[in-house]
Amino acid sequence: MRAAWEAPTSFGDGVAEVIGCVWEMNLIIHETQSWMRTLLSGHGTQDDRLVRYMEDHA
């Protein structure tokens, strides 16, 4: 939730903005790389790729 400086008690729901934190960056990088390495690789069946993807998060 956010409030503007000129209206500090009027909080918005954040729907109009994308808000992230630098601590989340490693999680997003890992997720993206894992997805590309496994599910988008084209090696094995779709079920095999899904298993590899899930194991990468264990």
Side-chain angles (χ1 to χ4, degrees):
M1 299 189 66
R2 294 185 83 142
W5 284 106
E6 58 276 359
T9 59
S10 178
F11 289 95
D13 58 12
V15 171
E17 302 174 20
V18 175
I19 301 170
C21 178
V22 294
W23 290 274
E24 296 169 338
M25 293 171 90
N26 284 338
L27 298 172
I28 294 167
I29 291 168
H30 172 74
E31 186 71 23
T32 303
Q33 290 174 344
S34 178
W35 188 268
M36 289 187 305
R37 270 193 318 271
T38 57
L39 291 170
L40 299 180
S41 72
H43 300 290
T45 67
Q46 184 176 359
D47 289 341
D48 292 339
R49 293 191 309 254
L50 183 57
V51 167
R52 284 198 313 272
Y53 174 76
M54 296 305 289
E55 288 174 346
D56 197 32
H57 290 76

